[in-house]
Amino acid sequence: MKQILAAVALAILLPGAASAQHDVTRRAYTFLEDRLVVAVHAEAPGELQVVRGQRGRVEVAARSRDGFAGFGLGGDYTRQLSLTAVGSEAVQYLVVVPEHVAVSVQLPRGGTAQVPTRDGVATYRWGDSDARRGDRGQGALPIARTTAGGLFVVHSSRGGAPSLVDVPSLASIRSLSVRVQGSEFRVAASRPLSLQPGDDGHLVVRVQGEPLDLVLFVPRSTSGFQVRSGSTRLLAVTGGRPISHCAGTVVQQPTPDQHWLTLFPSRGPEQCR
């Protein structure tokens, strides 16, 4: 499971197309020690994600906007992976560390933390969060926190849900869920995305590449919310409950205050009415 998660995490940061990798550097190191320090020396605002992977191997990927990101592994007694950046507005690192190795993180300006030994993704951020967000245009780095289930939250709003979420293409959507719960509208996915909202009531989610799972967290007070793919109706929320317009839908109610609905667009738009 750890190896699968590590591979998925690297795929998130490293797009498959060669033209998309001009701003990404990566390297793998053989690692047979029992302790590792990951030290961030970058002055630019940024994000570090640490994932548990296979034994005997450390993998690093770095991505920088308008600058250069780098790294190196050294140290005589305790091995240290140093992460650097020059001339960057924002920087992002992904480090895959061996299971059972004690890992500590040193952030700029003195912040330190111990990486949990459990599975999952540990995320660390520093600097001005507003500066890191950028304009979310082409080349912007995705800044995403994660849910307890390991999904990447790529959009959130405490002002309520939009009236419409449009997913123009379903080719890269493995599953699409609406979870009516809580008081915050969130868009989460199994890998980071960059969204381009239209007006306040219309959110467009464009997905390309490897299939992913898309989850929309909709506040319980929501009514009149719908999800479409172009002119095809997929889902709606009325009276605090999700309603599907497609066949093959899975309905769940984990608690009395949670109503979940999941469909699988790969079965084709002809399954929707």
Side-chain angles (χ1 to χ4, degrees), residues 140-162:
L141 295 177
I143 303 300
R145 56 192 171 97
T146 56
T147 68
L151 296 169
F152 291 84
V153 179
V154 297
H155 176 81
S156 63
S157 172
R158 293 189 178 275

Side-chain angles (χ1 to χ4, degrees), residues 65-79:
R65 187 170 70 231
D66 298 332
F68 301 92
F71 36 79
L73 182 64
D76 294 329
Y77 299 102
T78 299
R79 302 287 277 172

Side-chain angles (χ1 to χ4, degrees), residues 93-108:
Y93 303 99
L94 176 63
V95 178
V96 181
V97 299
E99 57 181 355
H100 306 311
V101 170
V103 181
S104 61
V105 172
Q106 297 178 357
L107 300 178

Side-chain angles (χ1 to χ4, degrees), residues 42-112:
E43 293 296 329
E47 178 183 65
L48 164 66
Q49 291 189 350
V50 182
V51 184
R52 292 285 176 177
Q54 60 182 305
R55 294 172 182 260
R57 185 178 176 89
V58 169
E59 297 179 73
V60 191
R63 185 179 181 187
S64 171
R65 187 170 70 231
D66 298 332
F68 301 92
F71 36 79
L73 182 64
D76 294 329
Y77 299 102
T78 299
R79 302 287 277 172
Q80 177 171 296
L81 178 67
S82 298
L83 308 177
T84 63
V86 177
S88 302
E89 291 185 7
V91 66
Q92 187 179 42
Y93 303 99
L94 176 63
V95 178
V96 181
V97 299
E99 57 181 355
H100 306 311
V101 170
V103 181
S104 61
V105 172
Q106 297 178 357
L107 300 178
R109 301 178 185 176
T112 61

Side-chain angles (χ1 to χ4, degrees), residues 170 227 232-235 243-250 261-265 268-273:
L170 300 175
V227 181
T232 303
R233 298 186 304 171
L234 303 178
L235 302 165
I243 300 172
S244 176
H245 298 295
C246 303
T249 299
V250 176
L261 189 153
T262 303
L263 59 86
F264 304 90
E270 65 276 4
Q271 299 293 326
C272 303
R273 61 183 187 277

